[in-house]
Amino acid sequence: MPSRDQHPTVWPALYATELGRIERRLHDGTQNRLAAVTVLLGGARRALNRDPGAADAMLGRAQDATEAALAELRAVVRSFQPPVLAGRGLPGALSALAAASPVACRVDAELPGRCAEEVEATAYFVVAEALANVAGHSNARHATVALRHRDDLLHVAVTDDGRGGARPGAGLDGVRGRVEAVGGTFALTSPSGGPTTLTARLPCGL
């Protein structure tokens, strides 16, 4: 797979493609729904005194449209896929994360194929957050990222040889939420003295 240095024009093109996809989803879905909310709220305001029943009905429709827009925004956010995933696949993208980590990190990946984009993006962000925690808090010298496909699940594990005692916080709570949003499970084991292992199991559908 080409590196950033070998093909400097590839990566901007990948970013542009991904940004275009996000823009289309926001324009075709969320933006149109929010425009409808604005129209409905304006109509409800004008009808409030002369026809309270009609105003109430429009407010109900505005609420429904707002909830639909929020659901679409959540779906768009969950589908964010770093362009490196499209270009290098999940093992390659995680190898790039490992190479950039200040803690020596090895990636051990055995996957028979690609997972859904949303699942790969989730796995990528799980590992990115885990390695950030390793670098910032663990006092570890080494870390390992393992990827396996078993029983139609993508198993992701990040282990470090640091001091242990890690506790869930804002970052890891966000990881848990992202994992559970795609129907996966999340676990953290970190006894005092280490090692610390963060695991996520994601529905893969290979």
Side-chain angles (χ1 to χ4, degrees), residues 40-203:
L40 288 166
L41 290 176
R45 184 178 183 182
R46 290 189 295 272
L48 187 59
N49 291 326
R50 59 181 173 79
D51 192 345
D56 184 68
M58 282 186 278
L59 287 173
R61 290 166 58 195
Q63 181 177 356
D64 291 343
T66 301
E67 291 171 353
L70 284 172
E72 288 173 350
L73 276 175
R74 293 188 188 103
V76 170
V77 169
R78 288 197 303 268
S79 73
F80 283 173
Q81 186 181 41
V84 67
L85 277 173
R88 300 179 62 176
L90 185 57
L94 297 186
S95 293
L97 279 178
S101 173
V103 176
C105 183
R106 179 175 63 90
V107 176
D108 179 13
E110 294 181 9
L111 298 178
R114 300 292 298 263
C115 296
E117 287 186 0
E118 184 177 5
V119 171
E120 289 194 348
T122 299
Y124 180 89
F125 285 115
V126 165
V127 174
E129 182 65 31
L131 291 182
N133 283 345
V134 170
H137 307 294
S138 72
N139 200 31
R141 297 179 61 189
H142 302 93
T144 301
V145 177
L147 295 178
R148 295 291 187 273
H149 176 252
R150 299 193 188 99
D151 302 323
D152 207 30
L153 293 174
L154 174 63
H155 294 249
V156 183
V158 181
T159 301
D160 70 72
D161 62 359
R163 60 192 171 199
R167 296 290 180 267
L172 292 182
D173 287 345
V175 170
R176 181 189 298 275
R178 183 182 285 271
V179 168
E180 292 176 349
V182 297
T185 59
F186 170 92
L188 175 69
T189 59
S190 185
S192 180
T196 294
T197 300
L198 181 154
T199 59
R201 294 176 177 84
L202 308 168

